[in-house]
């Protein structure tokens, strides 16, 4: 991957003192990146960085270790402790062999969660589920609408062919009347039977987000048919015209993280992170960055975009409102659902000028490293802010003060 925003070596206004060095790793679908932040003249800067493609036979930790050795050899410094098999954090001779102060990791190592939606109405709860999932790392690959001709064999074949990671069952408004539960129970039982025909390792996680009064009956139908356990969350459409997206989106996000932890070398890489930090996804830390950038620059709202390899993540932060709005879309697209969003003002990656013209005031990280550097904020917020302001997110505006 080419990084065009930074020169081959960051300029050093004064000699490096060796204090406060931070190693930040970023894991994406096809590459692993690392950058070294060093305090130069009292300000943290990107001093060195490198990118390696992910190889199927190599774990994430092995690739990250190779990155450390490469950068260390290039700048003449020990960055990886071969004895401990981890970044160089402890030194008996800190003058000649200065240790790192912090190690951070932002990792999104796998494709989005493959989701199959099953429900009673494609224009009601299933549409609400699709809308909810667009706010999470999900890729909807198919759907089933309940009907009298529902075939367990056809459902089994569909699940075997498409191999979803998650099955989402929805349907019905919140209604305690048992008569409103029958179709949901029948639908769930059919899927339970289909799941029972799959090997345990092939079965997707099952999430129920329909009529809350039917939840225990749905879980029993799936389990009694041999389909395994069911996670019940808040109904995506509890009443006409009411959509509750958060619970289902969070369930999908958590499952993405569970699947990510199965990636070879993920757990080892997570142990490298120094307290009080923890390993996090590129998407979650970017969402936090957009909100923090809005607060820092005293904006009423801020629309940011992270251009990941297989998807784009749009984030909308608004002053006075908790959290942020998130929308995942296909790369190089601008769905109509984003028409009412504010102008795009912060981008990490190549700016899609044909879809989102640059406004008068904006911040642009051409390198795409802003999310991984933003993860540094868990341990060293000032170092993160200095690096972002100085090297990655310069302020573009005619005759404007970048500190305002």
């Amino acid at each position: 991957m080419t990084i065009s925003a930074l020169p081959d070596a960051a300029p050093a206004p004064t000699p490096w003192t060796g204090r406060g060095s931070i190693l930040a790793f970023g894991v994406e679908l096809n590459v692993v990146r690392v950058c070294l932040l060093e305090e130069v003249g009292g300000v943290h800067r990107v001093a060195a960085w490198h990118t390696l493609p992910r190889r199927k036979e190599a774990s994430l930790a092995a690739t990250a270790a190779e990155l450390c050795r490469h950068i260390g050899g290039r700048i003449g410094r020990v960055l990886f402790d071969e004895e401990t098999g981890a970044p160089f954090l402890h030194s008996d001779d800190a003058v000649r062999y200065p240790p790192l102060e912090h190690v951070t990791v932002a990792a999104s190592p796998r494709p989005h969660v493959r989701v199959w939606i099953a429900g009673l109405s494609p224009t009601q709860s299933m549409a609400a589920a699709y809308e909810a999932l667009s706010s999470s790392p999900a890729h909807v690959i198919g759907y089933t609408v309940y009907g009298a001709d529902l075939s367990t064999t056809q459902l089994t074949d569909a699940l075997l062919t498409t191999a979803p990671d998650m099955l989402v069952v929805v349907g019905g408004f919140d209604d305690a009347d048992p008569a409103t539960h029958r179709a949901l129970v029948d639908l769930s039982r059919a899927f339970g039977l289909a799941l029972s025909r799959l090997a345990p390792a092939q079965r997707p996680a099952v999430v129920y987000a329909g009529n809350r009064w039917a939840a225990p009956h749905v879980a029993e139908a799936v389990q009694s048919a041999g389909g395994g356990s069911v996670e019940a969350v808040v109904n995506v459409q509890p009443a006409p015209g009411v959509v509750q997206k958060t619970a289902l989106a969070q369930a999908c996000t958590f499952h993405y993280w569970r699947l990510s932890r199965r990636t070879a070398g993920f757990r080892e890489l997570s142990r490298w992170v120094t307290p009080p930090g923890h390993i996090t996804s590129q998407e979650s830390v970017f969402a936090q960055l957009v909100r923090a950038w809005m607060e820092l620059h005293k904006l009423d709202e801020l629309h940011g975009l992270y251009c990941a390899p297989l998807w784009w993540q749009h984030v909308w932060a608004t002053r006075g409102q908790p959290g942020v709005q998130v929308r995942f879309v296909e790369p190089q697209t601008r769905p109509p659902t984003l028409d009412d969003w504010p102008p795009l003002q912060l981008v990490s990656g190549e700016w899609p000028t044909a879809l989102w013209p640059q406004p008068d005031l904006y911040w642009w990280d051409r390198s795409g490293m802003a999310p991984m550097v933003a993860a540094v904020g868990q341990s060293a917020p000032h170092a993160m802010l200095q690096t972002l302001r100085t090297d990655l997110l310069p302020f573009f505006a005619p005759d404007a003060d970048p500190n305002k």
Side-chain angles (χ1 to χ4, degrees):
M1 183 176 293
T2 301
I3 297 176
S4 59
L6 305 175
D8 187 57
T14 59
W16 169 58
T17 65
R19 295 174 294 142
S21 297
I22 302 169
L23 206 58
F25 292 97
V27 178
E28 296 178 0
L29 185 65
N30 298 317
V31 300
V32 180
R33 300 202 267 187
V34 68
C35 64
L36 176 66
L37 311 186
E38 292 178 351
E39 187 179 341
V40 181
V43 177
H44 275 85
R45 304 289 304 273
V46 175
W49 68 95
H50 193 57
T51 301
L52 284 176
R54 288 178 58 185
R55 303 186 302 274
K56 291 183 178 180
E57 70 278 8
S59 74
L60 294 180
T63 303
E66 187 177 348
L67 282 167
C68 290
R69 298 186 188 102
H70 178 89
I71 289 185
R74 197 173 77 190
I75 66 176
R77 181 179 173 189
V78 176
L79 295 178
F80 194 76
D81 190 330
E82 301 295 345
E83 292 185 2
T84 64
F88 190 65
L89 291 169
H90 305 286
S91 174
D92 295 330
D93 187 350
V95 174
R96 290 196 302 165
Y97 304 102
L100 296 161
E101 183 174 355
H102 289 294
V103 176
T104 65
V105 180
S108 297
R110 54 160 289 121
H112 277 183
V113 178
R114 294 165 57 82
V115 179
W116 191 281
I117 301 177
L120 306 182
S121 170
T123 60
Q124 293 288 332
S125 56
M126 292 177 69
Y130 190 91
E131 183 179 350
L133 291 167
S134 68
S135 299
S136 68
H139 175 47
V140 178
I141 59 172
Y143 62 91
T144 297
V145 180
Y146 174 73
D149 59 345
L150 205 60
S151 166
T152 300
T153 299
Q154 290 178 345
L155 292 179
T156 304
D157 290 343
L159 294 176
L160 282 171
T161 301
T162 60
D165 301 306
M166 177 181 288
L167 168 64
V168 174
V169 180
V170 295
F173 304 133
D174 284 342
D175 191 334
D177 185 353
T180 65
H181 307 166
R182 295 190 189 114
L184 281 167
V185 171
D186 289 344
L187 175 65
S188 302
R189 183 179 295 109
F191 268 100
L193 290 170
L195 292 170
S196 71
R197 298 181 181 183
L198 307 182
Q202 295 177 299
R203 296 176 188 171
V206 182
V207 176
Y208 174 71
N211 181 348
R212 67 185 180 92
W213 297 99
H217 309 294
V218 166
E220 182 182 3
V222 175
Q223 292 168 358
S224 62
S229 61
V230 176
E231 177 187 358
V233 299
V234 173
N235 190 353
V236 290
Q237 192 165 26
V242 179
V243 176
Q244 298 186 136
K245 300 186 294 185
T246 303
L248 180 55
Q250 287 180 342
C252 184
T253 300
F254 292 155
H255 192 57
Y256 176 83
W257 199 239
R258 285 194 292 266
L259 294 173
S260 295
R261 293 179 65 85
R262 300 176 188 174
T263 308
F266 185 96
R267 291 181 182 273
E268 184 178 355
L269 201 61
S270 69
R271 289 193 289 268
W272 293 2
V273 180
T274 52
H278 59 274
I279 191 169
T280 185
S281 72
Q282 300 258 25
E283 291 76 18
S284 64
V285 77
F286 181 75
Q288 295 167 9
L289 167 61
V290 172
R291 179 154 197 91
W293 215 248
M294 178 197 70
E295 300 286 354
L296 176 67
H297 294 279
K298 299 180 174 59
L299 304 174
D300 292 330
E301 58 185 1
L302 179 61
H303 175 187
L305 169 63
Y306 166 45
C307 300
L310 289 185
W311 57 81
W312 283 359
Q313 179 197 18
H314 289 268
V315 178
W316 180 3
T318 304
R319 180 174 295 277
Q321 295 184 9
V324 295
Q325 293 187 55
V326 177
R327 178 75 63 170
F328 288 89
V329 304
E330 295 291 328
Q332 303 299 331
T333 65
R334 180 173 175 165
T337 53
L338 296 175
D339 287 347
D340 61 345
W341 283 45
L344 187 61
Q345 286 187 275
L346 186 153
V347 171
S348 180
E350 289 299 321
W351 195 297
T353 52
L355 298 172
W356 297 92
Q358 292 170 339
D360 293 335
L361 312 176
Y362 62 95
W363 296 267
W364 185 9
D365 161 39
R366 291 179 173 87
S367 73
M369 294 196 298
M372 58 186 279
V373 171
V376 172
Q378 299 176 16
S379 306
H382 291 295
M384 173 204 73
L385 181 59
Q386 291 169 351
T387 305
L388 290 174
R389 273 182 158 173
T390 306
D391 290 329
L392 297 184
L393 283 173
F395 183 75
F396 293 93
D399 305 320
D401 184 348
N403 295 314
K404 290 186 179 179

